[in-house]
Amino acid sequence: MSTTGDTPVRRPHGEARPGFSLDVRLWKVTKVDRKARPYQLRWVVGGKVSSATFATSALAESRRSELRQAMRRGEAFEISSGQPESEVRAAAEAAEAAAAEETLRWFEFCRKYVAGRWRTSAAKTREGMADGLAAVSLAMVKRGDGVPSDEQLRLAFRWGIVPANAGEDPPAELKAAYDWLTTADRPVVDAADAEVFEDVLYRIGYKLDGTPAAGDTYRRRRRALNTVLEHAVVVGELPDNPLQRARQKHVGSSEVVDRRVLVNALQARQLLAGVFLRRVVGSVPWEASGGLLCGPVLRGAASG
């Protein structure tokens, strides 16, 4: 290895801590045969060679100057990474700060959201928020061994988001479910995950027993979900509202029509014609107008 242009090895008094070395040698910038980042800088720390490549000569010389200044200050370099101790320490502090800043989780997000709207909301609106968000929360909690029942999780959620209960211990019968909600809930950003959001949509459309929720219940839950997701976008927890991309479920009456008593098109025309003749003409006997024509329909109704 050529040592042309070596920086004199600096050997200050004292010893470096384990994993670091004061034995540093720095080479000049060289150009290598590669299209991307063709300028290379190499240096040795405690006998281990480190290198970095750059797109321009200026960038490479700037980095060489930074390393040279660290050597002049008498800094030890980390042997494994080849970086000055000050840079290693700064990177560790940044990583710790990032780890300390936890992602906002679902339950805490809902608790703050509800607290902000509780005072100005009517009782019916509060009930709609609590029911809708409790249903969604069944999808926004991780599952595992010992998970409480969905019913207990819903009850614990509805108790926990009431502002008056903030800071209070949950009732004994809800403690296990409340602890699970507050430790196994997902980050808010998970609502943007396609698989998670599919479960969210299922939860607002179905009851705990797996049967479809009533139309009014579904629409109320969807409104509550849409409002809270819009709030998540506003505060920067979500990039957009995933509900806007989801097709709305068709919700109609839960009553099933019995086709045995439902008139078809021909019977409907005959029925209307008979009623018209009876009411307008007046002289047509019942049997010749509505009575005869309605017979099949009425018999069908009787047999149902």
Side-chain angles (χ1 to χ4, degrees):
M1 178 185 300
S2 173
T3 59
T4 303
D6 288 357
T7 297
V9 178
R10 185 179 182 87
R11 299 180 183 277
H13 297 290
E15 296 182 357
R17 61 192 179 93
F20 289 78
S21 176
L22 293 171
D23 183 9
V24 183
R25 183 180 292 272
L26 185 62
W27 274 273
K28 287 184 177 181
V29 174
T30 58
K31 191 171 183 180
V32 294
D33 186 17
R34 55 186 299 178
K35 291 182 179 180
R37 304 169 69 92
Y39 296 92
Q40 184 180 65
L41 175 63
R42 304 179 74 190
W43 66 102
V44 179
V45 178
K48 182 179 182 298
V49 178
S50 296
S51 65
T53 57
F54 303 86
T56 67
S57 173
L59 291 174
E61 290 291 351
S62 176
R63 180 55 177 161
R64 186 175 187 273
S65 177
E66 291 173 352
L67 297 180
R68 190 182 182 90
Q69 291 175 21
M71 293 169 63
R72 287 177 174 174
R73 291 193 298 267
E75 281 193 47
F77 281 52
E78 187 179 43
I79 298 174
S80 60
S81 67
Q83 307 304 310
E85 187 172 10
S86 60
E87 294 182 6
V88 173
R89 185 170 56 251
E93 291 173 354
E96 291 177 2
E101 187 179 352
E102 296 184 1
T103 303
L104 184 60
R105 305 184 72 84
W106 177 253
F107 179 81
E108 182 63 16
F109 170 72
C110 289
R111 190 189 66 79
K112 292 180 178 178
Y113 167 76
V114 171
R117 299 190 60 194
W118 194 264
R119 181 181 299 179
T120 58
S121 298
K124 191 172 183 180
T125 302
R126 294 175 180 176
E127 170 62 23
M129 280 194 296
D131 176 70
L133 296 181
V136 172
S137 293
L138 297 180
M140 292 297 291
V141 66
K142 297 176 182 178
R143 303 290 168 155
D145 294 337
V147 59
S149 67
D150 285 351
E151 182 178 3
Q152 287 295 102
L153 290 173
R154 280 176 56 91
L155 290 173
F157 181 90
R158 294 183 62 132
W159 179 88
I161 63 167
V162 175
N165 295 333
E168 299 291 331
D169 292 330
E173 64 274 16
L174 296 179
K175 187 177 187 310
Y178 183 79
D179 290 345
W180 191 278
L181 274 174
T182 54
T183 57
D185 56 331
R186 297 179 179 274
V188 177
V189 71
D190 280 10
D193 180 85
E195 185 175 350
V196 173
F197 197 67
E198 182 179 355
D199 193 21
V200 168
L201 294 178
Y202 169 79
R203 296 293 181 175
I204 66 173
Y206 288 83
K207 297 187 290 187
L208 293 180
D209 60 6
T211 59
D216 288 345
T217 299
Y218 168 76
R219 285 185 285 270
R220 183 177 66 248
R221 289 177 177 177
R222 187 181 175 98
R223 285 194 298 270
L225 173 61
N226 182 67
T227 305
V228 76
L229 291 179
E230 288 292 337
H231 181 68
V233 173
V234 170
V235 298
E237 294 298 328
L238 288 176
D240 57 15
N241 183 351
L243 190 61
Q244 300 302 319
R245 303 190 301 269
R247 180 177 299 177
Q248 186 164 356
K249 173 185 173 184
H250 176 71
V251 180
S253 173
S254 59
E255 297 181 358
V256 178
V257 176
D258 188 345
R259 294 186 178 276
R260 295 174 299 177
V261 299
L262 180 67
V263 297
N264 57 36
L266 176 60
Q267 291 171 333
R269 286 195 295 270
Q270 292 174 337
L271 178 60
L272 292 174
V275 172
F276 174 80
L277 291 173
R278 179 171 178 81
R279 286 186 172 273
V280 177
V281 179
S283 58
V284 181
W286 165 254
E287 292 78 3
S289 58
L292 182 59
L293 297 172
C294 295
V297 179
L298 296 177
R299 285 195 298 273
S303 64

